[in-house]
Amino acid sequence: MSSEEAAIVVLGATGNQGAAVVKYLNALNTQSVYAVTRDVNNPRSMQLAAVFGAKLLVGDFEKKDSLVAAFQAPGKPVIAFCVSTPSMAGTGFVANAEAEVRAPRPPRAV
């Protein structure tokens, strides 16, 4: 699947990493870029739409239903850029470092 066939959904779009991804995709003239933000009226959100052509979607890491809706909104397959934050530990999106270390890993090519 190419970015021409899919929507690119950027989580954390108003943060440093997410905004950089939106700006980069704009520089490549990528179509169908969606910026997920808690507040579409935030000045940074509005700049992503006005200057960099992103379509704004409401989504909040603390509200699972809002993220599900954001991924469904484009109405076509989605390529996602996801940023995780420590604040995700509050409502079930818990990072568990010990489990991560124990998680099976694919064999490495030598």
Side-chain angles (χ1 to χ4, degrees):
M1 176 184 338
S2 73
S3 61
E4 294 167 4
E5 301 166 354
I8 301 177
V9 175
V10 180
L11 296 178
T14 58
N16 291 333
Q17 291 178 22
V21 169
V22 170
K23 292 172 186 177
Y24 180 76
L25 292 170
N26 176 264
L28 296 176
N29 292 317
T30 305
Q31 302 299 310
S32 296
V33 176
Y34 292 80
V36 178
T37 177
R38 287 184 303 249
D39 180 3
V40 296
N41 296 311
N42 175 305
R44 284 184 66 119
S45 300
M46 292 189 301
Q47 179 188 33
L48 292 174
V51 178
F52 300 104
K55 297 163 190 78
L56 300 179
L57 299 172
V58 175
D60 187 330
F61 286 132
E62 301 281 333
K63 298 176 182 168
K64 181 180 176 182
D65 291 343
S66 73
L67 295 177
V68 170
F71 281 105
Q72 292 173 340
K76 58 184 174 178
V78 167
I79 297 170
F81 175 82
C82 303
V83 177
S84 61
T85 65
S87 67
M88 294 169 79
T91 58
F93 294 99
V94 178
N96 182 333
E98 185 176 309
E100 180 66 24
V101 169
R102 290 192 315 259
R105 300 280 187 249
R108 291 185 187 184
V110 189

